[in-house]
Amino acid sequence: MPLPARIGRLRPPVLCFVAGPDIKDLDATVASAVAGGVNMVQLRDKVTPAGKLLETARRLKTITRGKALLVVNDRIDVALAAEADGAQLPEDGIPTLVARGLIGKHAVLGRSVHSVEAALQAGRESADFVIAGTVYKSASKPDVKPMGPGLIADITQAAGNLPVLAIGGVTAKNIGEVIKAGAAGVAVISAIANAEDPRAAAEELSKAMQEAWAEVRSAA
């Protein structure tokens, strides 16, 4: 299996924290998560008006600068105005090629996918990575049937060196399964946002991910 490519300046494995408006103290939680090993933060907020969202993105950019990539979900205008590192497109968002034309060739551009076909299309249209799921039963999407780590294996086998991050119910206990299935990292929400100590939760996830990554690479 080909080694996944870098995502911007990041060399896999990637630990992405998806942060949204439901988090009580967003800034402090993101800062703790980054201190614990998160190296990508995705700001995902579909309800806050653009002006307020821009304020939040600018604050998070200050927190993540030099420590983690900041990508903004869906709102390319906000990503550009905040000078974020890039954007994350939902599967039903604007076409990847259109987004690339708007955000520029140097920005990081990801796409959320739920199938091999969607991942391959995203790769053809210049996405730098995809986030695939839902892998395990997820607290944020309780009604969505989990697809299991087999989804990750199928995408990575078909998509070559396109980095794939697994999302949906990922914890420190099962993170090794998705890494061994070929994931270049994971994206999490509840595992950090709902933790009493977000930094410790991020550290636990990062340690388990790095251990699995080292095991996979040594066996390659």
Side-chain angles (χ1 to χ4, degrees):
M1 183 183 300
L3 290 176
R6 285 176 177 264
I7 301 176
R9 66 173 184 268
L10 297 184
R11 184 189 298 275
V14 173
L15 178 56
C16 174
F17 176 41
V18 182
D22 294 336
I23 298 174
K24 185 175 181 180
D25 192 340
L26 180 63
D27 293 14
T29 302
V30 168
S32 295
V34 170
V38 162
N39 52 9
M40 179 188 288
V41 174
Q42 179 192 151
L43 174 59
R44 186 169 72 185
D45 185 339
K46 299 181 182 297
V47 297
T48 300
K52 290 291 186 182
L53 185 61
L54 176 58
E55 292 175 5
T56 300
R58 284 175 169 165
R59 294 198 311 272
L60 296 188
K61 180 59 182 177
T62 299
I63 292 169
T64 58
R65 183 175 287 114
K67 303 172 184 176
L69 295 183
L70 174 66
V71 297
V72 179
N73 184 280
D74 205 16
R75 296 300 303 262
I76 292 176
D77 54 343
V78 173
L80 288 168
E83 299 182 350
D85 297 288
Q88 175 71 22
L89 302 172
E91 190 167 54
D92 60 355
I94 66 173
T96 309
L97 278 178
V98 174
R100 176 60 75 192
L102 293 170
I103 204 167
K105 64 181 181 180
H106 298 298
V108 172
L109 187 61
R111 181 130 219 148
S112 297
V113 301
H114 306 287
S115 68
V116 172
E117 292 75 17
L120 292 175
Q121 182 176 350
R124 287 193 297 266
E125 295 185 358
S126 79
D128 295 301
F129 68 101
V130 295
I131 297 181
T134 300
V135 178
Y136 302 105
K137 189 171 179 59
S138 171
S140 62
K141 294 185 177 181
D143 298 327
V144 176
K145 183 180 178 180
M147 305 175 77
L151 173 67
I152 305 302
D154 291 344
I155 292 175
T156 55
Q157 288 170 11
N161 68 347
L162 177 69
V164 180
L165 307 187
I167 193 170
V170 177
T171 67
K173 292 182 179 179
N174 61 31
I175 196 170
E177 294 178 350
V178 292
I179 295 298
K180 292 173 184 177
V186 301
V188 301
I189 305 172
S190 302
I192 291 177
N194 294 347
E196 291 186 12
D197 186 338
R199 177 170 180 167
E203 289 174 343
E204 185 180 15
L205 284 162
S206 180
K207 180 181 178 183
M209 181 177 68
Q210 292 289 348
E211 289 175 350
W213 185 263
E215 183 178 344
V216 168
R217 294 310 156 206
S218 65

